[in-house]
Amino acid sequence: MSHPRPVAPAAPAPAVLASATLALAALLMASAVAHAAKPPKPVDRIWTHPDFASFGVGAIALLPAASFDNQLDAERQVDAALGVALRSTSYRWVSSVTTRAMLRSSGGDSLLRAVRNQIVERGRVDSLAAPRLCALLRVQALLAVRIETWEQVAMEWDQSGKPTTSAALRAALVDSLGRLAWTAQGREVAEGPYHEARPPALGMSSSGLGTQPVGNETRPPGFDTVLAPMFARWVAAYPPRSVPGAAAPRDSAR
């Protein structure tokens, strides 16, 4: 008894293959476009109270920046850089230098410490302290900044890589009624040129702790390279002044 031979499946027609190829190409192209159109991950987290315009904020005191580990030089750099960035806004700003002097003259160092402790612990002044401080400084709001990260990594003579500078900051604006009006949180990292590990260029130096190589270290960028772009983004996202009339003269926030 003979058995039927298996029949091989027919090869797809050229037209079918061309259609499938075109469909696959269209699918890949659509996927690539969707991936390219995906928005970049936000660098900052900024929030504005929906009723900010009704708060009547025209004058703001910039409180001295605070850090967890009392990095005074870092705090001064943040105050200076933020003061420069804020000059482009329409508000009247009381600088951190003036704010510090007014707080000290009113309540001494104990008042300064109390304000600093609140910023370190909460990232802002609390709702109970805000009315008193606004009245004392003759403003409608207080801007506090807390330094959360402040780091520089240099490449030594025997290391390969890029030196980096990074800073992470948190800011909060509280009005004279203690309401949280605006917040910003951001992080910025800057890299220096790539450094290739190589022998020290200038020989060795001796100290009581041993012999150390001299030269060939690659220093990280300055902190101005991370503060300026971060504050520029914050100011661009800062709500405009809603108080009627022309902007009052601004105190230089140094």
Side-chain angles (χ1 to χ4, degrees):
M1 181 177 182
S2 61
H3 297 280
R5 294 183 179 180
V7 179
V16 175
L17 287 176
S19 177
T21 302
L22 290 176
L24 179 59
L27 181 61
L28 292 175
M29 183 177 296
S31 177
V33 170
H35 180 74
K38 186 178 180 180
K41 185 178 181 180
V43 179
D44 306 301
R45 296 174 59 187
I46 297 176
W47 172 86
T48 303
H49 195 287
D51 297 326
F52 182 91
S54 67
F55 287 5
V57 175
I60 306 172
L62 179 58
L63 299 173
S67 56
F68 292 106
D69 48 357
N70 297 318
Q71 298 189 56
L72 300 182
D73 184 62
E75 295 167 6
R76 285 192 290 266
Q77 291 188 60
V78 168
D79 286 340
L82 183 55
V84 170
L86 292 173
R87 290 174 188 169
S88 63
T89 67
S90 58
Y91 295 88
R92 179 177 73 83
W93 292 95
V94 178
S95 71
S96 60
V97 173
T98 302
T99 298
R100 185 189 302 274
M102 293 178 70
L103 293 177
R104 179 174 282 123
S105 65
S106 177
D109 289 338
S110 60
L111 179 57
L112 277 172
R113 283 195 298 270
V115 172
R116 179 188 180 86
N117 289 340
Q118 287 190 14
I119 297 174
V120 170
E121 292 173 4
R122 306 184 58 184
R124 49 169 285 195
V125 294
D126 63 35
S127 57
L128 297 178
R132 177 195 172 195
L133 292 174
C134 284
L136 175 64
L137 299 170
R138 299 189 291 277
V139 295
Q140 291 86 47
L142 308 164
L143 181 61
V145 180
R146 184 175 70 190
I147 302 172
E148 303 192 331
T149 302
W150 191 264
E151 296 177 342
Q152 284 186 314
V153 178
M155 293 293 103
E156 300 298 335
W157 65 275
D158 58 347
Q159 292 179 310
S160 293
K162 293 182 178 181
T164 60
T165 297
S166 61
L169 308 175
R170 179 189 298 267
L173 182 74
V174 178
D175 80 343
S176 58
L177 297 181
R179 294 173 294 188
L180 186 62
W182 180 86
T183 62
Q185 183 178 3
R187 176 181 174 84
E188 188 79 18
V189 179
E191 293 182 339
Y194 183 82
H195 172 79
E196 187 71 34
R198 55 186 180 271
L202 304 178
M204 309 292 285
S205 66
S206 299
S207 66
L209 299 177
T211 302
Q212 299 293 331
V214 178
N216 280 349
E217 299 90 350
T218 301
R219 299 300 176 189
F223 279 101
D224 58 313
T225 60
V226 295
L227 295 178
M230 185 190 306
F231 290 152
R233 295 192 303 268
W234 288 11
V235 168
Y238 202 79
R241 187 176 186 227
S242 60
V243 177
R250 296 183 294 277
D251 182 13
S252 176
R254 298 188 299 273

